[in-house]
Amino acid sequence: MGLAGQARGGGVMEPKEGLDRFAAFVERRLGLVPASASKEELAALLEELAPRRQWEDYLEKLESAPAGDAALRSLAERLTVGETYFFRHQAQLEALVEEVLPHVQREGRSARVLSAGCSTGEEAYSLAMLARESARVEPSRLFIKGVDLNPRAIERARWAHYSPWALRVTPEPLRERWFHALPGSEFALRPEVSDSVHFEERNLLDEDSGFWAPNSFDVVLFRNVLIYFSPEAARRAIARIEQALTPGGFLFLGPSETLRGLSDAFEVVQAGEAFYFQRGRGASSTARLRIVTPPPIPAAPTAAPAAKAVPPKPAEPLHKLEGAGRAWRLLEEERYAEARSLLETLPEHEREHSLSRLLQAALHLQAGLFREAERLGKALAESGAQGAAAHYLLGLCREQAGDTASARAFYERAVHLEPTFALGHLRLGMLARREGAPTHARVALRLALTLLAHEQPVHLMLFGGGFGRHGLMQVCQRELWACSEVA
């Protein structure tokens, strides 16, 4: 007898059946892997939305709900988490304004930009401000639209009032020019910026042939969104974006995100410290912007040489590294190019300190300079300095090169040297799941989820890819749900 038959007969839906059906709906309709650390938390959310005896009716209502339904919108509010602020990943925004938009606006064309998964609007407004600061962009021919699944986030974006925390990396001249202080502690965007961006509530997975029509957008910002999507939902979203972009149009993802396994229709473009993607053109197209292929990486051993492994040395506190401490602060503010430049000017004793070398290696990795990152990582690993972090960094380099066997060996060495290294367990779990070993994956991922609550801040700064502790826990949760599906 089916679930509906049980309900009509007066029975109560079994918890596992209800949770599985609820989770499957959330992924299918919203694209999200539920942001709950356990089945118990997901059950608590479902119980809050509908008492157990009403689960069947509630789930049936959700499954038949049209776009914009109140219950669906309420669920989206509960399950989506926005982590954003003004001028996040500023190098990418500057490349968009100084390279991409002038390229699009040539010969009098307008530029149409979509901020997909815009949250509370900081990304779209940051672009609008930078465009008004640039002599190379014509704001009158720049049209920016922001869309998000969360109705409350869209309301806040339209309201355009922000806390000091949202402006924490906003340059002071821009804060003074484009915001005015409100009584209390909030800041409001000036109308010339807030009126220049249009926001609408939209599920990126809903069918809408008009919105996603070919040639609808020249640029799509889809940064730090894939982390919340299931693999299938990510493929659907990227396919829809590809369809809507003009030939030769541009896609911006978060610095730690990739199109690997999602699409072969884009090539990597580099402008300074920023990397982004360009859609392939037709045969009659003009020449595209310079495409940069990462340099070849020397072969790495399949496992760290045991003879050279020594116990990790205790790290010197960051506050004792004066110049390097400033570089770490720049990293925390995602000002990667400035951090690299500052490191090069440090006195030799500070520059050669193991923490400074680790920071430099991580910045090389962030910029796509894999050969330099791997060279520094090998030197640190062989000396025993920053052992776990150095081996983890080498694993990232090998994974970027497609050498998953060596990557796994380096991650295993990292967690052997430091058993509480949450990020190492996370990468091992992700590799295991993708290689079809869900049992091994679940063990590693559950351990990672527990340890992430106590992961060292230095590891989060170096290897978090712009995401905080909570965002990385979301990644872990998504992977665990994917393992459950495989099983």
Side-chain angles (χ1 to χ4, degrees):
M1 182 181 295
L3 293 175
Q6 292 178 16
R8 285 191 294 270
V12 178
M13 181 179 291
E14 291 296 322
K16 184 179 186 307
E17 292 176 302
L19 290 176
D20 289 347
R21 186 172 166 185
F22 187 39
F25 169 80
V26 168
E27 179 177 341
R28 182 177 67 255
R29 189 66 182 271
L30 305 182
L32 303 172
V33 176
S36 302
S38 65
K39 287 284 181 103
E40 289 75 17
E41 290 186 20
L42 189 61
L45 174 60
L46 184 54
E47 184 69 27
E48 179 183 337
L49 296 170
R52 177 80 56 81
R53 294 184 179 277
Q54 298 176 23
W55 278 13
E56 175 68 23
D57 291 341
Y58 175 70
L59 291 171
E60 283 191 354
K61 180 180 178 182
L62 282 181
E63 289 164 347
S64 61
D69 180 82
L72 198 59
R73 296 174 73 225
S74 175
L75 181 61
E77 281 189 16
R78 297 297 304 271
L79 288 174
T80 53
V81 179
E83 277 191 74
T84 189
Y85 49 88
F86 283 95
F87 301 100
R88 187 178 190 182
H89 309 317
Q90 187 167 340
Q92 283 189 327
L93 294 175
E94 290 173 348
L96 173 55
V97 169
E98 297 302 322
E99 301 292 336
V100 172
L101 292 182
H103 177 79
V104 172
Q105 287 187 338
R106 69 194 187 284
E107 300 173 356
R109 287 185 54 208
S110 294
R112 299 155 300 168
V113 180
L114 174 67
S115 174
C118 66
S119 188
T120 46
E122 288 92 330
E123 175 181 81
Y125 287 138
S126 295
L127 174 59
M129 282 184 274
L130 288 177
R132 282 158 175 73
E133 294 284 328
S134 174
R136 304 192 65 197
V137 176
E138 295 184 39
S140 62
R141 291 193 291 112
L142 173 62
F143 301 94
I144 306 172
K145 177 174 289 189
V147 299
D148 199 273
L149 176 67
N150 189 322
R152 185 171 298 177
I154 290 297
E155 290 177 6
R156 289 187 56 198
R158 291 170 175 158
W159 184 237
H161 288 193
Y162 296 95
S163 69
W165 184 243
L167 278 70
R168 60 189 182 273
V169 301
T170 303
E172 190 61 32
L174 296 185
R175 179 185 298 202
E176 293 178 356
R177 191 149 46 244
W178 300 113
F179 294 85
H180 64 265
L182 298 172
S185 59
E186 285 199 328
F187 293 84
L189 266 172
R190 297 192 180 280
E192 52 263 51
V193 175
S194 59
D195 292 348
S196 69
V197 181
H198 174 71
F199 293 98
E200 64 180 68
E201 181 186 336
R202 178 173 294 277
N203 185 341
L204 296 176
L205 301 183
D206 280 348
E207 295 292 339
D208 187 332
S209 57
F211 187 85
W212 297 110
N215 303 315
S216 294
F217 302 103
D218 301 288
V219 181
V220 174
L221 294 164
F222 195 48
R223 306 190 306 165
N224 308 315
V225 179
L226 288 175
I227 184 175
Y228 301 110
F229 275 20
S230 68
E232 177 56 30
R235 282 189 286 272
R236 288 165 58 194
I238 293 297
R240 193 156 287 173
I241 289 170
E242 177 190 336
Q243 169 186 288
L245 276 172
T246 55
F250 299 89
L251 170 63
F252 285 74
L253 300 179
S256 63
E257 295 172 319
T258 177
L259 289 176
R260 184 177 297 163
L262 301 179
S263 174
D264 297 321
F266 295 85
E267 294 189 58
V268 179
V269 182
Q270 179 183 11
E273 295 290 315
F275 288 83
Y276 47 97
F277 300 87
Q278 186 174 26
R279 183 188 172 198
R281 297 171 178 269
S284 61
S285 305
T286 57
R288 69 176 61 190
L289 294 180
R290 180 169 65 96
I291 303 301
V292 175
T293 303
I297 304 174
T302 57
K308 294 184 179 180
V310 297
K313 299 175 182 177
E316 185 173 347
L318 287 180
H319 69 271
K320 293 187 178 180
L321 299 176
E322 297 179 1
R326 292 195 297 274
W328 284 91
R329 177 56 59 86
L330 291 171
L331 170 69
E332 189 176 12
E333 296 174 357
E334 299 180 2
R335 296 159 63 183
Y336 305 120
E338 294 176 60
R340 285 175 59 204
S341 298
L342 177 59
L343 283 173
E344 292 172 0
T345 67
L346 293 180
E348 184 176 357
H349 74 279
E350 283 199 65
R351 190 170 61 249
E352 296 301 320
H353 190 281
S354 63
L355 269 175
S356 297
R357 303 301 280 174
L358 181 62
L359 173 56
Q360 188 176 25
L363 290 168
H364 285 326
L365 185 68
Q366 182 76 27
L369 304 175
F370 304 119
R371 175 182 293 172
E372 290 85 344
E374 191 159 26
R375 177 180 59 80
L376 288 172
K378 283 183 176 179
L380 285 167
E382 290 173 2
S383 70
Q386 307 301 326
H391 283 86
Y392 180 81
L393 181 138
L394 288 170
L396 294 176
C397 291
R398 288 287 85 209
E399 196 172 347
Q400 285 286 342
D403 183 1
T404 55
S406 294
R408 186 187 310 104
F410 282 124
Y411 295 144
E412 288 173 349
R413 185 61 183 166
V415 299
H416 173 75
L417 291 170
E418 190 174 321
T420 59
F421 195 168
L423 294 178
H425 293 289
L426 174 57
R427 297 308 304 182
L428 284 169
M430 293 171 74
L431 285 179
R433 184 187 70 77
R434 291 164 190 172
E435 292 170 353
T439 301
H440 292 294
R442 281 195 292 270
V443 171
L445 291 167
R446 285 170 181 160
L447 181 56
L449 190 59
T450 300
L451 294 174
L452 274 169
H454 308 285
E455 181 66 287
Q456 295 183 44
V458 65
H459 290 163
L460 298 176
M461 282 194 291
L462 284 170
F463 306 122
F467 293 99
R469 194 181 305 275
H470 180 67
L472 291 167
M473 293 176 77
Q474 293 271 12
V475 174
C476 208
Q477 291 154 5
R478 180 191 69 184
E479 293 288 325
L480 279 168
W481 278 100
C483 287
S484 299
E485 291 178 356
V486 171

